[in-house]
């Protein structure tokens, strides 16, 4: 396997992009990555998209977007793993370069979510859970995470204040990210008084519905050294793991096993420990998710994620800054694009391009992108070379 | 007759609405309704309850008391005026849920409030004729009364199910008799949501004529009088009618009180007299004789004379009792919730 | 949202709570599977789920998916049945503000959803407080 570097990244402003179609949103991000890398072509492309069919009535995105890029015959592959689609698209791109199959590969993610109404969007997202044995009974994604939150609160004493602290921190970080969908700051009081969606989760505990895309260019590290004059960022680990799709089939409702397993593999590949990670972009689709993920990644002991968030350990300048980009919560969550946007933040932080939200002395960044209630997880570690 | 009841069960939804709640909305005088109809409150089905769900629950209770393998049930007849589908049987869903498919005969009956006793009659007749070992007869309804109509104070929900067989009977059937004429006192046309009724015409020439005639003839044919019965139950469109019928037939209050559920249950239509019978079986002693007379508009009455056996005491505690379900932990709702539950609010079409 | 064949296929589970028990290690799967994820055995026997259990966690849905809007607020929980199997289900006939983890529940047969006003009615299990 060859060492792989990320030499180009692209992303547009996320939000409710009423005037832009998925073709335009995706192509803008892809072209920005291509220009950032300074390449004139790519050999293959992967696009992560959760549900082109349900959100846009459009499947077959691999071929369609390869054509939009003006690169006609290259292999275009769409990757799906619910909200982890982007992370897995990046992993597939990584594997195709590492294996020697291709040299210059575009990894990308896309979701256009606002062309359907709220009920249809809720339904489309719910297809990431077990349709016959969870969704049939009227559960939603906020509902599933709410059940995890309630179980975590009951088992470990996690509080509403601790959940709110995650939202406050991520909006604070997002306020420094010019591409974030909701860059406004929020207070704990605002979070705890916002409207209930699924008890105990309120609207400000939830990531939003977003249109957006993100992209990156991967090449062999040796080639990158000759091509790029920017600080080099290499992929130190790419790991993926699975768990039961239904939450009720997990051994522990309060533990995200797929993330723990992928992280364990990633630390082994990178030859590092959680303490040696400079910062981490995690899948905070709901505030409780960030708390549970930081535990599964080994940053905090089981049950301590809430306290850590509340005490500022995960803030910029804390012991392990989590979601310096603002996370899904503030930056937005166009599901298929999220995993690739996390990689973009890693590359920017490691290059030192993040301005106000720059993590000091960032040498090794981690991303964690998960599908459903954690049935699938992709974990990546990127390092400054 | 060799056949009779070997298991019985009832189901009462937990939600209730009081007469005052309905009267307040329509500017009616609650005390006079309560006095006139002898109704205090009625059961209300939640949107996830219908004739099928209540029939399944009542049948499970009945099968538990019968102590039989559901695979041996040869027929299921559900009487209701609120089958959830206009076309598609309720019986097959119930049969599937209780594990009685596929060697079974199913039919859905409709005869206003008499459909339940009719299902019982046909189920028992097939057992009596040795066509099958066991058969299940069910009366169930989530009946509707038009907003503001007198029926709205009574139309309620509930179910009762009876397993018929020849062995291990808990109540023998001594006699049956039915009395029918064509009398248009209450009806619902195809595609109409609410039934219509003919006001006071539903009384003397309809309910009382059929119930009293049926009761008199079955007693005459069996050589019995009111004194030969420990218990009696008549169809209960409200609280008043069955009490008046009982009095005219010479029954005392203590004979009818146990099965007189309507003051707090309302009129469960096809479930009405069958549920009353279930409440009586809950307390009956061996040897007790029970008169049951149903009534369905249109019009007719089915009469049955039951006699409890020694086995009755063994099964009473095997499943939830009827009055226990009626009296324990009701959830009271206001008219707005009731209107939402019963689909009476016009909403945006999907 | 739900076609009749898709609904009908699950009838043994939704109406009669049929599960598969691994004959080798005893683990119970609901719905049935072809391979035991505990011991990889492919031999199963059909069993019926326990119909009472304890509420392990729950939520109250305030923003419902299409088809459930009339029911809000409604509770959905994960119930650990007495045979150890966990299932997701609505919890009804209760005050959603007074539900607690650890509440004892029992199963009832209810309408779970319907495909609009003209489509198939889908029945199945819900849980109610066990008295």
């Amino acid at each position: 396997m060859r060492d792989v570097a990320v030499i180009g990244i692209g992303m547009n402003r996320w939000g409710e992009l009423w005037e832009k179609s998925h073709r335009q949103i995706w192509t803008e991000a892809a072209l920005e990555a291509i220009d950032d890398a300074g390449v004139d072509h790519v050999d293959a492309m992967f696009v992560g998209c959760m549900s082109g069919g349900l959100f846009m009535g459009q499947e077959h995105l691999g071929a369609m977007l390869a054509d939009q890029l003006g690169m006609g015959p290259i292999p275009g592959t769409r990757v799906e793993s619910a909200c982890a689609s982007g992370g897995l698209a990046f992993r597939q791109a990584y594997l195709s370069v590492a294996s020697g199959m291709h040299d210059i590969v575009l990894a990308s993610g896309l979701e256009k979510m606002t062309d359907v109404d709220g009920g249809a969007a809720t339904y489309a997202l719910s297809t990431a859970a077990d349709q016959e044995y969870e969704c049939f009974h009227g559960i939603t994604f906020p509902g599933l995470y709410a059940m995890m939150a309630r179980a975590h609160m009951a088992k470990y004493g996690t509080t509403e204040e601790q959940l709110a602290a995650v939202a406050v921190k991520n909006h604070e970080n997002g306020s420094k990210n010019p591409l974030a969908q909701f860059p406004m700051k929020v207070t704990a009081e605002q979070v705890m008084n916002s409207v209930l969606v699924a008890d105990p989760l309120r609207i400000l505990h939830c990531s939003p519905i977003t249109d957006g895309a993100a992209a990156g260019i991967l090449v062999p590290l040796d080639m990158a050294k000759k091509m790029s004059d920017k600080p080099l960022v290499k992929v130190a680990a790419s790991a993926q793991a699975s768990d039961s799709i239904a939450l009720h089939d997990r051994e522990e409702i309060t533990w995200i096993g797929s993330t723990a397993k992928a992280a364990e593999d990633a630390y082994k590949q990178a030859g590092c420990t959680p303490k040696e990670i400079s910062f981490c972009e995690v899948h905070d689709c709901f505030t409780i998710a960030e708390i549970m993920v930081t535990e599964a990644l080994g940053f905090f002991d089981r049950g301590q994620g809430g306290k850590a968030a509340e005490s500022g350990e995960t803030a910029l300048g804390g012991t392990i800054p989590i979601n310096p980009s603002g996370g899904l919560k503030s930056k937005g969550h166009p599901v298929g694009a999220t995993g690739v946007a996390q990689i973009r933040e890693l590359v920017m932080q490691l290059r030192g391009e993040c301005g106000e939200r720059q993590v000091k002395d960032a040498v090794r960044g981690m991303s964690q992108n998960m599908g459903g209630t954690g049935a699938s997880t992709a974990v990546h570690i990127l390092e400054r070379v | 007759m060799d056949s009779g009841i070997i298991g019985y069960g009832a189901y009462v939804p937990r939600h209730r609405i009081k007469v005052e709640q309905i009267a307040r909305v329509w500017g009616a005088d609650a005390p006079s309704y309560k006095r006139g109809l002898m109704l205090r409150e009625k059961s209300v089905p939640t949107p996830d309850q219908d004739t099928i769900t209540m029939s399944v629950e009542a049948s499970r209770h009945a099968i538990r008391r019968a102590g039989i393998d559901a695979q041996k049930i040869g027929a299921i007849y559900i009487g209701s005026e609120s089958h959830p589908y206009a076309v598609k049987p309720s019986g097959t869903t119930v049969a599937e849920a209780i594990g009685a498919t596929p060697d079974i005969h199913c039919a859905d009956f409709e005869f206003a409030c008499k459909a339940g006793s009719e299902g019982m009659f046909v189920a028992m007749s097939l057992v009596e004729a040795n066509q099958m070992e066991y058969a299940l007869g069910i009366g169930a309804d989530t009946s509707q009364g038009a907003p503001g109509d007198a029926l709205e104070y009574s139309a309620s929900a509930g179910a009762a199910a009876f397993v018929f067989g020849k062995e291990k009977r808990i109540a023998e059937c001594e006699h049956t008799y039915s009395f029918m004429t064509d009398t248009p006192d209450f009806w619902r046309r195809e595609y109409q949501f609410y039934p219509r009724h003919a006001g006071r015409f539903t009384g003397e020439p309809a309910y009382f004529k059929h119930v009293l005639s049926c009761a008199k003839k079955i007693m005459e044919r069996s050589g019995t009088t009111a004194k030969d019965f420990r218990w009696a139950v008549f169809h209960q469109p409200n609280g008043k009618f069955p009490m008046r019928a009982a009095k005219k037939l010479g029954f005392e209050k203590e004979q009818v009180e146990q099965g007189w559920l309507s003051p707090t249950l309302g009129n469960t239509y096809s479930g009405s007299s069958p549920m009353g019978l279930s409440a009586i079986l809950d307390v009956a002693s061996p040897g007790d004789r029970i008169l049951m007379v149903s009534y369905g508009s249109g019009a007719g009455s089915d009469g049955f004379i039951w006699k409890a056996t020694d086995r009755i005491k063994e099964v009473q505690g095997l499943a939830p009792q009827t009055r226990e379900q009626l009296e324990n932990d009701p959830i009271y709702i206001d008219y707005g919730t009731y209107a939402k539950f019963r689909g009476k609010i016009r909403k945006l079409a999907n | 949202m739900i076609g009749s064949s898709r609904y009908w296929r699950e009838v043994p589970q939704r109406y009669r709570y049929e599960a598969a028990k691994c004959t080798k290690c005893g683990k119970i799967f609901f719905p049935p599977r072809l391979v035991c994820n505990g011991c990889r055995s492919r031999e199963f026997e059909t069993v019926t789920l326990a119909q009472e259990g304890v509420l392990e966690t729950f939520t109250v849905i305030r923003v419902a998916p299409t088809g459930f809007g009339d029911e809000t607020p409604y509770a959905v929980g994960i119930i650990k049945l007495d045979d150890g199997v966990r299932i997701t289900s609505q919890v009804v006939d209760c005050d959603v503000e007074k539900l607690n983890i650890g509440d004892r529940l029992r199963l009832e047969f209810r309408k779970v959803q319907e495909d609009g006003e003209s489509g198939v009615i889908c029945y199945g299990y819900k849980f109610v407080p066990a008295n």
Side-chain angles (χ1 to χ4, degrees):
Chain A
M1 297 273 272
R2 301 190 284 185
D3 278 340
V4 176
V6 184
I7 60 164
I9 46 173
M11 175 177 156
N12 30 26
R13 173 86 196 258
W14 284 0
E16 294 171 310
L17 308 179
W18 305 115
E19 72 285 1
K20 290 183 186 176
S21 73
H22 70 281
R23 305 166 204 238
Q24 193 180 351
I25 295 168
W26 180 85
T27 310
E28 282 174 5
L31 289 175
E32 188 180 312
I34 284 171
D35 293 347
D36 185 48
V39 295
D40 61 358
H41 75 284
V42 298
D43 300 323
M45 60 149 286
F46 293 87
V47 56
C49 181
M50 176 184 167
S51 194
L54 291 173
F55 284 118
M56 318 183 288
Q58 181 68 60
E59 306 288 13
H60 211 170
L61 292 166
M64 180 186 213
L65 298 175
D67 176 48
Q68 291 294 311
L69 203 55
M71 301 210 182
I74 63 160
T77 306
R78 181 260 185 102
V79 177
E80 189 277 313
S81 190
C83 309
S85 299
L88 292 201
F90 181 80
R91 180 170 152 80
Q92 292 306 309
Y94 163 78
L95 291 172
S96 78
V97 175
S99 68
M101 177 65 81
H102 297 293
D103 285 334
I104 307 176
V105 175
L106 173 74
S108 65
L110 162 75
E111 214 76 51
K112 173 76 183 166
M113 303 172 74
T114 60
D115 280 350
V116 293
D117 65 27
T122 304
Y123 169 72
L125 292 169
S126 80
T127 61
D130 187 323
Q131 283 299 297
E132 314 301 347
Y133 291 90
E134 291 184 310
C135 304
F136 178 74
H137 299 281
I139 194 70
T140 58
F141 257 93
L144 287 163
Y145 275 93
M147 292 202 289
M148 295 161 92
R150 195 184 295 274
H152 202 272
M153 292 163 109
K155 186 167 180 179
Y156 297 115
T158 299
T159 64
E160 278 197 56
E161 286 77 8
Q162 291 167 358
L163 292 174
V166 172
V168 171
K169 184 262 296 172
N170 286 350
H171 276 280
E172 172 68 33
N173 293 351
S175 72
K176 298 164 183 154
N177 184 345
L179 300 188
Q181 178 180 12
F182 290 111
M184 80 287 192
K185 294 180 188 179
V186 299
T187 64
E189 288 68 37
Q190 284 174 320
V191 176
M192 290 192 291
N193 289 318
S194 64
V195 66
L196 275 167
V197 173
D199 310 15
L201 298 185
R202 299 169 182 275
I203 189 77
L204 287 178
H205 291 122
C206 307
S207 56
I209 298 281
T210 312
D211 300 329
I217 300 289
L218 294 81
V219 298
L221 182 62
D222 289 344
M223 194 191 283
K225 286 174 180 163
K226 294 169 207 156
M227 290 168 71
S228 183
D229 50 4
K230 291 186 174 135
L232 274 183
V233 175
K234 80 161 194 175
V235 181
S238 173
Q240 178 189 346
S242 309
D243 201 344
S244 68
I245 190 162
L247 182 61
H248 58 239
D249 280 336
R250 309 274 167 80
E251 277 185 21
E252 267 189 80
I253 292 166
T254 51
W255 182 243
I256 302 179
S258 67
T259 291
K261 178 69 174 74
E264 184 190 326
D265 291 353
Y267 289 129
K268 206 175 288 173
Q269 286 177 36
C272 71
T273 65
K275 287 201 162 29
E276 294 170 277
I277 300 291
S278 315
F279 67 97
C280 186
E281 285 284 306
V282 306
H283 197 91
D284 60 318
C285 47
F286 300 93
T287 49
I288 183 63
E290 177 166 318
I291 288 170
M292 290 173 68
V293 164
T294 54
E295 295 171 14
L297 291 174
F299 297 134
F300 310 111
D301 290 340
R302 287 186 191 221
Q304 301 306 305
K307 285 186 197 111
E310 198 175 28
S311 68
E313 286 188 66
T314 58
L316 275 176
T319 52
I320 171 75
I322 300 290
N323 283 328
S325 71
L328 285 56
K329 179 74 203 73
S330 166
K331 185 176 63 197
H333 182 31
V335 283
T338 285
V340 181
Q342 292 178 328
I343 298 290
R344 172 185 178 269
E345 181 71 10
L346 263 52
V347 172
M348 285 184 71
Q349 290 283 355
L350 294 171
R351 286 178 178 174
E353 295 173 347
C354 283
E356 269 192 286
R357 67 176 197 280
Q358 180 65 44
V359 175
K360 268 214 307 216
D361 306 321
V363 292
R364 188 182 285 119
M366 179 186 246
S367 69
Q368 179 271 352
N369 180 209
M370 66 182 165
T373 49
S376 59
T377 295
V379 169
H380 288 93
I381 298 175
L382 271 57
E383 289 174 3
R384 199 167 65 203
V385 178
Chain B
M1 290 170 81
D2 300 325
S3 52
I5 299 167
I6 66 161
Y8 70 95
Y11 183 81
V12 184
R14 269 188 72 186
H15 290 76
R16 305 278 186 279
I17 188 166
K18 289 183 183 288
V19 162
E20 286 83 351
Q21 281 284 337
I22 302 171
R24 192 167 53 91
V25 170
W26 301 110
D29 179 28
S32 71
Y33 261 96
K34 289 172 82 169
R35 256 193 329 271
L37 295 172
M38 295 173 83
L39 290 170
R40 297 202 298 276
E41 58 195 57
K42 65 169 190 172
S43 65
V44 180
T46 45
D48 63 358
Q49 293 179 310
D50 63 21
T51 285
I52 288 177
T53 66
M54 296 190 305
S55 294
V56 168
E57 289 296 324
S59 298
R60 285 178 176 166
H61 296 159
I63 291 164
R64 209 184 302 163
R65 285 195 174 103
I68 59 158
D69 176 0
Q71 278 288 315
K72 291 185 178 166
I73 294 172
I76 294 184
Y77 300 119
I78 305 178
S80 181
E81 61 102 86
S82 51
H83 291 289
Y85 286 93
V87 178
K88 189 195 171 298
S90 300
T92 50
T93 305
V94 175
E96 201 75 62
I98 62 173
T101 53
D103 302 320
I104 192 160
H105 186 255
C106 282
D108 291 355
F109 291 172
E110 187 282 311
F111 190 143
C113 297
K114 192 183 82 66
S117 63
E118 176 173 283
M120 294 167 67
F121 179 84
V122 177
M124 187 171 67
S125 299
L126 287 165
V127 171
E128 181 69 17
N130 293 320
Q131 289 290 306
M132 53 193 61
E133 194 175 355
Y134 305 118
L136 184 58
I138 304 167
D141 257 311
T142 53
S143 44
Q144 283 277 26
D149 188 271
L151 284 179
E152 199 181 25
Y153 295 88
S154 59
S156 67
F162 299 85
V163 184
F164 298 95
K166 290 188 172 176
E167 307 286 322
K168 300 205 304 181
R169 282 176 293 178
I170 56 154
E172 296 163 5
C173 184
E174 291 190 333
H175 285 277
T176 66
Y177 169 75
S178 290
F179 181 92
M180 311 277 143
T181 71
D182 186 25
T183 309
D185 59 324
F186 168 104
W187 59 89
R188 179 165 64 82
R189 294 276 300 273
E190 190 87 284
Y191 309 119
Q192 294 297 306
F193 195 66
Y194 298 113
R196 269 179 69 174
H197 57 86
R200 289 183 57 80
F201 181 65
T202 58
E204 291 305 332
Y207 177 86
F208 289 104
K209 174 178 161 185
H210 293 80
V211 168
L212 299 181
S213 300
C214 182
K216 282 176 189 161
K217 287 206 181 180
I218 196 171
M219 288 197 281
E220 189 182 305
R221 289 178 176 212
S222 60
T224 54
T225 66
K227 290 190 171 47
D228 295 312
F229 294 91
R230 173 66 187 84
W231 313 100
V233 58
F234 305 99
H235 173 57
Q236 303 164 35
N238 49 49
K240 187 177 168 186
F241 279 23
M243 281 315 224
R244 206 206 288 173
K247 200 171 174 189
K248 285 192 176 188
L249 290 163
F251 287 89
E252 302 294 329
K253 204 175 174 192
E254 55 269 22
Q255 289 170 287
V256 288
E257 232 170 13
Q258 173 65 19
W260 186 50
L261 306 175
S262 50
T264 50
L265 176 64
N267 179 7
T268 57
Y269 284 46
S270 303
S272 179
S273 51
M275 290 178 78
L277 175 63
S278 74
I280 289 169
L281 291 173
D282 280 339
V283 299
S285 297
D288 283 359
R289 194 173 270 132
I290 306 157
L291 173 68
M292 168 182 171
V293 180
S294 67
Y295 173 71
S297 291
S301 286
D302 293 326
F304 300 83
I305 295 175
W306 310 103
K307 191 177 166 192
T309 71
D310 290 344
R311 194 174 160 258
I312 186 78
K313 289 289 166 198
E314 292 169 34
V315 307
Q316 286 167 342
L318 295 180
Q321 301 203 331
T322 305
R323 280 197 173 272
E324 168 188 309
Q325 294 183 64
L326 186 60
E327 285 153 19
N328 288 1
D329 305 320
I331 302 170
Y332 288 98
I333 56 175
D334 58 16
Y335 192 87
T337 306
Y338 165 77
K340 178 180 161 184
F341 278 9
R342 300 304 290 135
K344 292 171 193 260
I345 300 175
R346 185 174 297 187
K347 299 178 304 178
L348 195 64
N350 283 324
Chain C
M1 284 300 197
I2 195 155
S4 61
S5 61
R6 184 174 172 187
Y7 157 65
W8 164 83
R9 201 174 295 128
E10 309 297 324
V11 156
Q13 283 68 50
R14 299 217 172 110
Y15 289 16
R16 295 193 298 274
Y17 331 120
E18 286 181 14
K21 184 176 184 180
C22 174
T23 51
K24 211 168 141 198
C25 75
K27 194 168 173 184
I28 301 173
F29 293 93
F30 183 79
R33 296 184 177 203
L34 299 183
V35 185
C36 173
N37 69 6
C39 72
R40 307 263 170 88
S41 164
R42 298 181 191 180
E43 307 283 322
F44 294 92
E45 58 175 329
T46 301
V47 295
T48 303
L49 290 181
Q51 282 152 52
E52 283 201 20
V54 166
L55 188 59
E56 268 205 0
T57 186
F58 68 99
T59 184
V60 179
I61 301 290
R62 314 272 172 177
V63 181
T66 309
F68 289 88
D70 286 357
E71 297 174 39
T72 55
Y74 60 91
V76 181
I78 292 179
I79 297 103
K80 187 170 191 175
L81 302 174
D82 291 345
D83 51 22
V85 175
R86 283 218 212 90
I87 64 174
T88 298
S89 167
Q90 281 193 34
V91 183
V92 295
D93 285 8
C94 60
D95 180 347
V96 296
E97 306 297 340
K98 289 182 183 157
L99 270 181
N100 282 300
I101 289 175
D103 283 357
R104 193 140 183 90
L105 306 173
R106 68 180 165 81
L107 182 154
E108 270 200 13
F109 192 79
R110 296 286 175 110
K111 189 162 101 180
V112 180
Q113 54 170 286
E114 56 187 23
D115 182 17
E117 281 192 10
S118 61
V120 71
I121 302 169
C122 303
Y123 296 94
Y125 47 85
K126 288 188 182 179
F127 281 76
V128 299
N131 294 318

